[in-house]
Amino acid sequence: MIDTIDISYVQKFFLTVVLGLSMLLGIGVLLANFKLKTNRTFFLMVCSFSTLLITAYLIYYPGFERYANFFGKLNFASVAITLASILFFVFNYPQPAKKYIIWEFIAVLAGYIIAIFSIFTPFLVKETVLQNSSVKIHLGDFQYVLYFYTISVIIVALGHLIKTYRVSEKKIKVQILFPLIGAVLVAIFNIIFNIVIPSIYADFDQFWIGDYSIFLFLLLTAYAIMKYEMFNIKIVVTEVSVLAVSLI
């Protein structure tokens, strides 16, 4: 009888499932119609999210302690790029944008600027140290810029989806509803597991629960794609089925 659950195995399981399903979905949508900007931005969002998951896991992977600082910088850069790609996708959803307002361009560009600072400077990830056989990341003051950007992206993405929902016809509203619900769930999960619980329990380090919640947004967006045929769903289903069989 198992008395305790090894949380590392739970994380590995969810990492494999979430990463695999996310990439299958992203590749399937991309192959459906590469020419559509909406498809390409969705794939970009999936790739950045997948990089975020992988780097977050490798930071604490046994035997990789000497590379923890590198993966830490890359992980925070991936967070910023993921946030930027979410904005980029939302601005092109459900129909590709014909032109961008200057503040939308700046909002997306800000994510890439933060990513550059994360990789090439100690302003975000100051250092990583090995403490009690566990890697600890020490952040610089630039972390507050990333926090502000994260909150801003959540507000802008939700606001854009809500605004589009309100002015759209019934069929478009249904297409927007599911990603909107997914965005709300992601916000709730990240607030609970990345802000509230760590502020109460200092030793809580299961931040991956909040990170993995982005998959809910991808999943519900996929449901909208499949149910309401926003893309060429026959091609998507065929390609994803072949990839799924190959993965298994």
Side-chain angles (χ1 to χ4, degrees):
M1 182 176 181
I2 300 176
D3 297 322
T4 60
I5 298 177
D6 189 339
I7 195 67
S8 64
Y9 285 104
V10 175
Q11 183 180 4
K12 288 179 184 177
F13 172 78
F14 278 102
L15 173 66
T16 304
V17 172
V18 172
L19 185 61
L21 292 179
S22 296
M23 288 306 302
L24 287 175
L25 178 61
I27 294 173
V29 169
L30 184 66
L31 293 177
N33 193 339
F34 179 81
K35 295 181 180 180
L36 273 181
K37 186 187 296 184
T38 307
N39 297 45
R40 298 197 303 271
T41 55
F42 184 88
F43 180 72
L44 174 63
M45 182 171 60
V46 170
C47 288
S48 56
F49 171 58
S50 299
T51 304
L52 185 158
L53 295 185
I54 295 173
T55 53
Y57 180 75
L58 291 178
I59 293 173
Y60 306 100
Y61 190 80
F64 276 39
E65 290 83 1
R66 68 177 66 179
Y67 307 111
N69 191 63
F70 168 75
F71 286 119
K73 289 176 176 290
L74 192 58
N75 177 250
F76 277 86
S78 300
V79 171
I81 294 176
T82 298
L83 291 169
S85 65
I86 289 174
L87 273 185
F88 195 33
F89 172 75
V90 168
F91 291 152
N92 288 279
Y93 184 89
Q95 299 296 330
K98 296 180 180 179
K99 61 180 180 178
Y100 298 101
I101 305 173
I102 184 63
W103 72 265
E104 294 179 342
F105 174 78
I106 294 175
V108 174
L109 180 62
Y112 290 91
I113 294 175
I114 294 174
I116 292 173
F117 270 88
S118 175
I119 294 175
F120 297 105
T121 74
F123 298 154
L124 186 54
V125 178
K126 184 182 298 183
E127 63 176 349
T128 55
V129 296
L130 189 62
Q131 183 178 336
N132 297 326
S133 300
S134 178
V135 173
K136 299 295 181 182
I137 299 177
H138 293 170
L139 301 179
D141 293 336
F142 205 70
Q143 62 177 301
Y144 299 107
V145 176
L146 180 59
Y147 296 156
F148 175 78
Y149 184 67
T150 301
I151 295 173
S152 300
V153 168
I154 293 173
I155 294 174
V156 171
L158 288 176
H160 187 85
L161 289 174
I162 292 172
K163 180 181 177 181
T164 306
Y165 177 85
R166 293 178 62 183
V167 301
S168 299
E169 59 184 33
K170 185 176 180 180
K171 182 179 180 181
I172 303 299
K173 283 185 176 181
V174 176
Q175 295 173 353
I176 297 172
L177 180 61
F178 291 100
L180 182 58
I181 294 174
V184 172
L185 289 175
V186 170
I188 292 174
F189 268 82
N190 277 273
I191 290 173
I192 293 175
F193 290 102
N194 289 16
I195 299 176
V196 176
I197 295 181
S199 65
I200 299 174
Y201 302 100
D203 295 332
F204 182 83
D205 58 357
Q206 307 304 324
F207 300 105
W208 58 271
I209 299 176
D211 296 338
Y212 287 20
S213 67
I214 301 177
F215 178 70
L216 297 174
F217 175 72
L218 299 179
L219 183 63
L220 290 173
T221 301
Y223 180 78
I225 293 171
M226 296 180 180
K227 185 173 179 61
Y228 299 100
E229 300 181 348
M230 288 179 59
F231 306 107
N232 190 341
I233 193 57
K234 291 183 180 180
I235 297 178
V236 173
V237 171
T238 301
E239 297 293 344
V240 170
S241 297
V242 172
L243 289 170
V245 171
S246 300
L247 180 63
I248 294 173

